[in-house]
Amino acid sequence: MRALIPPTMNEQVSDSILKLVPMIDALSGEVFLYLNDGPLKDKLVESYLETEEAHGDILEFEFDASLRIIPAADSAAATIEGRLELDDFLYQTSFTVAELDADETTDLLEQLQPHCPAPSSEQDQPRKNILRKKQGNNLLNIGSASITLGLSQRALKTLIPCSEMRIVEEGGDKSIEGYYWNKGLIARFEALAAQHRQGQRYTDDDAAFVAEQCCDGDMKWARDIIAGFLQHKR
């Protein structure tokens, strides 16, 4: 017998998806997210526990849970890749927006919010600039950084997390006006590309520098970023 979903739950899911689809549509490229405890992380764990090779004691360990959002022409069909990682352990799965329930959709909305500009206000109210990590002499804007590395602006934002951003507030709504990258970080990636062309591998020092500059000290994340950048530069 097919389970019946209460109408109120259907309405809640539909409302959340109606908010999520345009948010995904506004993304300039793929987005990578680390997950804290919540509905999305629970979804990944439950999916893993349903596999034949699942280890039931996974919850006893501190593992990393992450999502990669890959936009599609039809935003409702965007691919959501999920990963659980711990040392040599890796579990991967994928699903679409339509497979999310109300709580999971709400969780994803909150996770994506920092990556999407807020809708502009139509009210005629004063515009207020909020300088968050204001651009200085040691920063490059997205145009200069992308030209230096020979990347499109979209590829740059997708491959290398920005160092700082400029946020503006208008009519109570906040939006991102500009992205900036540390000059030293861009110079390091420029050098990595040159070394790669000569057949040289990146070093632990390279990974440590990238981790410190844009990965909150996360060496694994830094290595993933370097690998993705070098693969794109082939």
Side-chain angles (χ1 to χ4, degrees):
M1 180 181 297
R2 186 175 62 183
L4 297 178
I5 301 176
T8 53
M9 184 177 296
N10 276 328
E11 292 172 2
Q12 186 177 5
V13 173
S14 298
D15 182 61
S16 297
I17 290 179
L18 286 175
K19 295 177 181 178
L20 181 59
V21 168
M23 184 175 287
I24 292 177
D25 189 51
L27 296 176
S28 59
E30 296 182 9
V31 172
F32 180 84
L33 307 167
Y34 275 112
L35 300 177
N36 294 319
D37 291 341
L40 287 172
K41 186 174 181 179
D42 291 344
K43 181 179 182 67
L44 293 182
V45 173
E46 290 170 4
S47 175
Y48 166 70
L49 291 176
E50 291 175 356
T51 64
E52 293 183 358
E53 62 275 12
H55 297 281
D57 58 351
I58 186 175
L59 295 178
E60 298 178 12
F61 299 92
E62 291 293 331
F63 55 86
D64 290 328
S66 61
L67 291 182
R68 188 182 302 277
I69 315 299
I70 306 174
D74 176 4
S75 297
T79 301
I80 304 174
E81 294 182 350
R83 293 163 63 107
L84 299 177
E85 300 176 77
L86 174 64
D87 297 330
D88 295 331
F89 166 77
L90 171 64
Y91 168 71
Q92 293 179 286
T93 187
S94 63
F95 43 90
T96 64
V97 170
E99 296 176 72
L100 300 176
D101 64 22
D103 290 338
E104 294 159 358
T105 304
T106 299
D107 191 5
L108 185 54
L109 280 169
E110 294 175 354
Q111 297 276 356
L112 285 177
Q113 192 65 50
H115 298 270
C116 299
S120 58
S121 172
E122 296 180 357
Q123 300 177 5
D124 186 15
Q125 297 186 20
R127 179 185 176 99
K128 178 182 179 182
N129 283 344
I130 302 174
L131 299 183
R132 181 169 297 174
K133 299 180 178 179
K134 183 178 179 180
Q135 181 185 15
N137 293 330
N138 66 327
L139 297 176
L140 295 173
N141 62 27
I142 190 170
S144 298
S146 61
I147 291 173
T148 299
L149 295 181
L151 298 172
S152 67
Q153 294 186 11
R154 177 173 180 173
L156 174 62
K157 288 174 61 180
T158 300
L159 294 169
I160 305 174
C162 70
S163 303
E164 303 181 2
M165 64 181 65
R166 180 188 178 105
I167 296 178
V168 297
E169 181 176 357
E170 186 172 8
D173 293 324
K174 297 178 182 178
S175 62
I176 299 173
E177 187 176 69
Y179 297 87
Y180 303 93
W181 281 258
N182 182 278
K183 286 184 177 179
L185 178 65
I186 296 301
R188 181 62 64 100
F189 274 101
E190 188 177 20
L192 286 170
Q195 293 169 8
H196 186 65
R197 288 193 296 270
Q198 297 172 5
Q200 301 177 24
R201 290 179 55 83
Y202 69 87
T203 66
D204 289 341
D205 287 342
D206 291 322
F209 182 84
V210 172
E212 180 64 27
Q213 289 293 320
C214 65
C215 302
D216 297 324
D218 189 329
M219 286 286 286
K220 185 179 184 307
W221 187 9
R223 292 182 188 280
D224 287 344
I225 289 174
I226 293 174
F229 169 75
L230 293 179
Q231 183 175 16
H232 189 86
K233 292 293 291 182
R234 286 179 181 175

